[in-house]
Amino acid sequence: MANRILLAPIQGVTDYHFRNTFNKFFKGVDFMYSPYLRVDKNMQLKNSKVIDILPSNNKNINLVPQIMTNKPEEFTYMSKFLFDKGYEHINWNLGCPFAMVTNRELGSGLLPHHNKIEDILEKVMTVLPIKLSIKMRIGLENENDIFKILPILDKFPILEIIIHPRTGKQMYKGQVYTSIFEKCLALSSHKICYNGDINALDDYNNLSNRFKTVNSWMIGRGLIKNPFLAMQINKVLTENKMEIFKEFHDALCEEYLQSLSGSSHLLSKMIVFWEYFSLSFSNSHKVYKRIKKATSISKYKIAVAQNCNEEKWIA
Ligand SMILES: Cc1cc2nc3c(=O)[nH]c(=O)nc-3n(C[C@H](O)[C@H](O)[C@H](O)COP(=O)(O)O)c2cc1C
């Protein structure tokens, strides 16, 4: 079976503006996962999050909306809401590492409570109108939490389990426990997707050579840093990368110019992207610094032009 590439959800980065613009310029990504949706205590979804997943804002995208919750009633509410919007598949976030989330036993904060995970799934799976996949870390503080969870997940018809083999405590840094991922492959009867630190073609080649039974690969930061990565994986050769990148960048910038109010909002948004983009440039430190120093849109445009004209695309 051909390998599938999934765009990872990155809150504040992979919104519908990014997803649509990415799709116009690059190929090779089969599915895109939305950053998570949550309801407030009145069971209300934030309007900006609803806008992000509306099918009308995600035309020609295979979007999988993601939810975060630890309450069965919220779980069913959000799945019905998304089903009514036309989705057939949602993803449950058991990976978010931020203390504000984990302290409430959400995201990776739910991983040490395997009985609670089982209880939630028992309550929702029979009434869920939609297919469910799970995106999880291997634990909150203990990298072995996952070994108690996989046998529970085996009892339910879960479409796929996406494993980012880090603990929540590690946040987004440090070792990815590939040996634990390997054990998970042997322990679960579900389809498993790999996620974590695929930053270049070599990383993908090494992992796909090692995990021959895996055919689903989720990539986040690597695809933002180098939007050509999925094409490289699919052996689509591209010339003039810098030119294409510049056109992509300008289209992305225009999207945000239309949707954000004021130049400071636009500049802070684009700085987040350049934290990633700059890593694909020669002199990445200098490239990022130029962008950070820009105090107006016109200065920002000059910095972008300097980056694209004076540096090389190295990814
Ligand atoms: C700033 C930031 C925001 C993220 N937001 C989400 C999110 O909303 N939902 C989610 O499941 N993962 C989220 N992630 C985790 C990524 O989806 C992914 O699992 C992680 O970055 C590891 O994959 P990568 O090395 O390919 O980026 C986020 C990561 C970062 C760095």
Side-chain angles (χ1 to χ4, degrees):
M1 200 185 172
N3 280 347
R4 298 176 324 156
I5 304 295
L6 282 40
L7 174 72
I10 298 201
Q11 200 80 245
V13 179
T14 63
D15 60 13
Y16 75 100
H17 299 292
F18 175 83
R19 296 192 297 264
N20 283 304
T21 315
F22 182 98
N23 245 9
K24 278 188 201 142
F25 291 86
F26 307 104
K27 295 190 174 59
V29 171
D30 301 290
F31 292 88
M32 295 181 163
Y33 284 58
S34 83
Y36 65 79
L37 296 158
R38 265 176 79 178
V39 287
D40 63 18
K41 52 183 183 320
N42 301 317
M43 204 65 105
Q44 293 293 313
L45 286 158
K46 235 190 185 167
N47 203 28
S48 61
K49 300 285 177 165
V50 172
I51 289 172
D52 188 55
I53 58 86
L54 286 179
S56 54
N57 287 332
N58 290 279
K59 287 182 193 150
N60 306 319
I61 294 175
N62 287 324
L63 185 71
V64 180
Q66 185 185 64
I67 62 165
M68 184 195 278
T69 180
N70 59 11
K71 294 194 176 70
E73 55 284 9
E74 292 181 359
F75 207 126
T76 42
Y77 173 79
M78 283 189 276
S79 16
K80 283 190 176 135
F81 177 85
L82 292 164
F83 179 74
D84 289 344
K85 291 271 172 262
Y87 290 103
E88 290 172 0
H89 168 194
I90 55 165
N91 180 262
W92 186 24
N93 179 320
L94 290 180
C96 184
F98 292 102
M100 267 179 38
V101 164
T102 56
N103 288 343
R104 296 185 197 164
E105 296 184 4
L106 285 160
S108 66
L110 203 50
L111 297 174
H113 309 282
H114 52 275
N115 292 335
K116 197 161 173 182
I117 294 175
E118 182 165 22
D119 185 53
I120 294 167
L121 287 172
E122 259 165 14
K123 292 199 169 100
V124 302
M125 284 314 273
T126 48
V127 290
L128 220 57
I130 203 161
K131 290 181 193 134
L132 180 72
S133 66
I134 292 179
K135 180 168 180 282
M136 65 188 294
R137 294 196 179 223
I138 52 177
L140 175 60
E141 297 193 344
N142 183 333
E143 65 271 17
N144 296 314
D145 282 343
I146 195 161
F147 297 127
K148 294 213 172 98
I149 301 168
L150 290 179
I152 294 170
L153 300 185
D154 256 4
K155 297 187 207 166
F156 300 97
I158 287 156
L159 198 62
E160 180 166 54
I161 305 171
I162 302 158
I163 301 179
H164 175 199
R166 282 195 171 99
T167 59
K169 194 173 70 178
Q170 287 180 277
M171 302 298 289
Y172 298 102
K173 291 196 291 246
Q175 152 181 42
V176 259
Y177 287 88
T178 46
S179 52
I180 293 197
F181 179 82
E182 193 160 26
K183 281 193 199 158
C184 294
L185 290 178
L187 284 173
S188 176
S189 65
H190 288 305
K191 196 162 153 359
I192 304 281
C193 167
Y194 176 89
N195 168 237
D197 286 19
I198 303 181
N199 291 317
L201 185 58
D202 275 355
D203 300 325
Y204 171 81
N205 286 338
N206 291 337
L207 288 159
S208 58
N209 280 329
R210 178 165 168 196
F211 304 124
K212 301 260 190 224
T213 57
V214 174
N215 57 30
S216 200
W217 305 88
M218 178 176 264
I219 310 178
R221 293 167 296 181
L223 265 172
I224 300 158
K225 167 194 153 190
N226 173 18
F228 299 94
L229 183 55
M231 283 151 82
Q232 292 169 333
I233 289 172
N234 284 295
K235 301 192 172 54
V236 177
L237 295 180
T238 317
E239 282 174 20
N240 307 328
K241 285 195 188 132
M242 189 65 98
E243 249 170 65
I244 298 171
F245 167 79
K246 176 75 168 45
E247 282 175 29
F248 161 69
H249 165 276
D250 292 353
L252 189 65
C253 195
E254 189 56 34
E255 272 283 316
Y256 288 117
L257 196 60
Q258 301 299 328
S259 69
L260 297 172
S261 57
S263 56
S264 63
H265 280 135
L266 176 72
L267 294 178
S268 10
K269 187 83 192 173
M270 295 313 292
I271 285 172
V272 174
F273 284 106
W274 278 96
E275 213 180 307
Y276 300 97
F277 296 157
S278 61
L279 301 172
S280 285
F281 281 72
S282 54
N283 272 319
S284 41
H285 184 70
K286 195 166 158 192
V287 162
Y288 187 45
K289 213 164 138 191
R290 277 195 193 112
I291 299 293
K292 281 205 299 189
K293 271 171 64 184
T295 48
S296 65
I297 295 182
S298 56
K299 286 183 180 148
Y300 171 77
K301 287 187 173 163
I302 294 171
V304 172
Q306 267 183 324
N307 283 347
C308 296
N309 295 335
E310 293 174 23
E311 308 296 342
K312 289 199 166 48
W313 185 268
I314 55 167

